[in-house]
Amino acid sequence: MQKCFVYFFMLAFLLFMQSCKGDSGNDNPGSTSHDPNKPITVESIMPDGGKLREKVILKGTNFGNDKSKVKVYFVDAAAERLSTVIGIDNNTLYCLAPRQLPGGNHIKVIVGDKEVLTSSTFKYEQAQNVTTITGAASKAGSEDGDLASAKLNYMWGIAAVGNNTVLVFQRQNSEPRVRLISVNDNKVTTVHPGFKGGKPAVTKDKQTVYDIGWDGTHTVYAYTKSAGWSPTRIGQLGTIFSGKIAAAALDGTEEWLYFLDTNKNFGRFNVKTQAVELIKTLDLTGNLGATPGPYLIYYFVDGNFYMSDQNLASVYKITPEGNCEWFCGSATQKVVQDGLREEAYFAQPNGMTVDEDGNFYIVDGFNGYCLRKLNIADGYVSTVAGQVKVSGQIDGTPLEATFNYPYDICYDGEGGFWIAEGWGCAVRKYAVE
């Protein structure tokens, strides 16, 4: 009985001491709050390199214990990339490496009004690959089903709407339609049979997609996530725009839908009031292509629009007022040539997209069969994926991969560039992680 009493007393004493120790906070870094009167420091980065979502441990001081008050950025040559903080105590931060430019990048830690930039760097290893999502040139058609069995046909437009889902706009004369492709659901579904559209415009929240009919009176449709991406007719442009229209582009307000027809008429459509305006007939030498026609995108960096055209083999800048100027390419040099923007050439520039850093990505169609990038930082145009003048549908690394008449491209904001192949009748994805 006495022995039991002693054991009980010793256990109670240990529990009491542990409780006191926890209350003091001196030996439990996780209970120590950030001191706003002291600096924060980062003493080490472990590991010192890795790929996307690599778990990175930062050792230092005065991080505090509330991860909601801490921000960690990986700083590369183009931007500061926000990391996800997954754990913290006063001397240790656990975070995940975000997608960033390759090379040695510094890390910035911010707690309250204190911040520190590491002198040492994290060597990011960027992974790139090209994969086929669905479809193939050998099985053109319009059959719905799972990704492996579904059939696609001649496409001109594609829109990424998040969650590994895209809408593609199939323009084949015999069976035009809009298809919904969901990778997560392993499913291809027709959401709008009979519509012949080109490159669509997507709202920033990816809840709505707009597209304009290629010919006729150019009917305008809206596709909304809340309605399961089924179409709603919201207006038409009328006979004033008698040329073909291959693309639509929302401006920064997302109120006006801009477009350009093959007769060089630049106009806009108000998605709220259905007002239609002819802004200007472009002062542009040469004829625009018609199959497909000129592609158009909005560039958030300068608030202008950029038009690519396969017949002119060039890219032009167009202001909202309709003033047009050459940007890159040449109608007399329809070849793939990398170099500075003023010296680079395209074989058949088709659809374009822009990443979060403002870089242009352009698919080069016939006699190009590749993906080009215009780096906004140095103005250099490079071939980033595909084999020049080699048509095919080989997946793999960017150097191994081949494309089959890529006609449009869209960026999903998460490192994924989705490509609609025209005569290739397939959706491909170029992933940068």
Side-chain angles (χ1 to χ4, degrees):
M1 183 70 177
Q2 186 174 4
K3 180 182 284 189
C4 292
F5 179 82
V6 171
Y7 285 154
F8 177 82
F9 178 82
M10 291 179 64
L11 179 61
F13 178 78
L14 288 172
L15 290 172
F16 174 78
M17 291 299 292
Q18 185 65 36
S19 175
C20 293
K21 185 177 181 179
D23 291 341
S24 70
N26 295 331
D27 298 310
N28 185 358
S31 67
T32 304
S33 300
H34 167 70
D35 188 340
N37 298 313
K38 295 181 180 179
I40 55 177
T41 65
V42 176
E43 298 165 358
S44 66
I45 304 171
M46 299 181 295
D48 61 1
K51 299 180 180 181
L52 179 67
R53 291 182 288 274
E54 183 85 42
K55 184 177 180 181
V56 180
I57 302 173
L58 305 179
K59 288 288 187 179
T61 61
N62 201 28
F63 297 141
N65 59 5
D66 186 350
K67 68 180 183 181
S68 68
K69 297 181 179 179
V70 178
K71 292 188 180 299
V72 177
Y73 296 91
F74 286 64
V75 184
D76 60 31
E80 297 181 351
R81 320 285 181 173
L82 182 63
S83 170
T84 300
V85 177
I86 58 176
I88 185 174
D89 64 38
N90 198 45
N91 299 322
T92 309
L93 266 175
Y94 304 88
C95 64
L96 299 178
R99 186 172 53 82
Q100 56 200 276
L101 297 182
N105 301 323
H106 297 276
I107 300 177
K108 177 187 287 187
V109 179
I110 301 176
V111 186
D113 61 354
K114 304 293 183 182
E115 68 175 59
V116 62
L117 183 68
T118 63
S119 57
S120 54
T121 60
F122 178 83
K123 186 177 181 180
Y124 186 71
E125 302 171 22
Q126 193 176 77
Q128 303 178 38
N129 65 85
V130 176
T131 56
T132 298
I133 302 301
T134 186
S138 60
K139 58 172 188 177
S142 297
E143 296 180 12
D144 293 341
D146 59 35
L147 299 179
S149 62
K151 295 180 180 181
L152 303 175
N153 218 322
Y154 186 69
M155 293 171 288
W156 274 7
I158 188 168
V161 293
N163 200 32
N164 283 318
T165 303
V166 295
L167 284 170
V168 295
F169 292 76
Q170 196 169 293
R171 204 208 65 81
Q172 184 71 8
N173 287 331
S174 61
E175 46 190 17
R177 60 193 59 207
V178 183
R179 318 284 295 281
L180 177 68
I181 301 172
S182 172
V183 175
N184 294 349
D185 295 332
N186 186 27
K187 193 175 183 180
V188 177
T189 309
T190 297
V191 295
H192 190 184
F195 178 65
K196 188 186 298 183
K199 184 178 183 66
V202 187
T203 57
K204 298 183 187 73
D205 61 9
K206 301 186 187 306
Q207 300 295 302
T208 305
V209 174
Y210 297 101
D211 206 8
I212 299 173
W214 183 66
D215 55 6
T217 54
H218 304 297
T219 305
V220 184
Y221 284 96
Y223 305 82
T224 57
K225 184 177 181 179
S226 60
W229 302 112
S230 61
T232 300
R233 183 186 182 281
I234 61 173
Q236 63 182 28
L237 305 184
T239 57
I240 186 173
F241 298 96
S242 57
K244 309 297 185 184
I245 295 176
L250 282 169
D251 68 357
T253 68
E254 298 194 336
E255 182 177 348
W256 289 97
L257 195 63
Y258 285 72
F259 53 88
L260 175 68
D261 75 6
T262 52
N263 292 330
K264 304 177 187 177
N265 295 314
F266 183 59
R268 64 180 187 171
F269 172 86
N270 191 297
V271 298
K272 294 181 179 179
T273 67
Q274 290 74 57
V276 181
E277 297 180 9
L278 170 61
I279 298 172
K280 193 174 185 179
T281 299
L282 299 186
D283 182 13
L284 186 63
T285 302
N287 296 321
L288 296 177
T291 53
Y295 280 94
L296 190 73
I297 60 169
Y298 174 73
Y299 190 49
F300 68 89
V301 175
D302 62 11
N304 293 311
F305 297 87
Y306 286 77
M307 179 269 288
S308 59
D309 182 75
Q310 62 171 236
N311 192 51
L312 300 178
S314 300
V315 177
Y316 288 81
K317 179 171 75 173
I318 306 172
T319 68
E321 296 76 31
N323 299 316
C324 178
E325 66 180 56
W326 172 86
F327 188 63
C328 60
S330 170
T332 62
Q333 300 290 332
K334 297 183 179 182
V335 296
V336 175
Q337 177 175 299
D338 293 345
L340 293 174
R341 175 175 65 84
E342 297 83 357
E343 303 166 353
Y345 299 134
F346 299 89
Q348 190 189 69
N350 291 315
M352 297 183 290
T353 193
V354 179
D355 69 12
E356 61 266 71
D357 297 325
N359 301 307
F360 288 85
Y361 288 79
I362 306 167
V363 286
D364 222 337
F366 177 65
N367 272 340
Y369 308 115
C370 58
L371 174 60
R372 316 289 296 284
K373 175 184 178 181
L374 194 163
N375 190 312
I376 199 63
D378 56 17
Y380 195 85
V381 177
S382 60
T383 302
V384 296
Q387 300 179 37
V388 178
K389 288 191 174 182
V390 179
S391 175
Q393 291 176 320
I394 298 174
D395 293 342
T397 67
L399 293 178
E400 298 169 335
T402 58
F403 295 101
N404 193 344
Y405 285 85
Y407 272 177
D408 195 20
I409 182 171
C410 62
Y411 180 57
D412 63 12
E414 300 176 349
F417 296 85
W418 301 73
I419 297 168
E421 293 186 332
W423 295 113
C425 302
V427 171
R428 316 286 296 284
K429 184 180 181 182
Y430 167 62
V432 181
E433 297 184 337

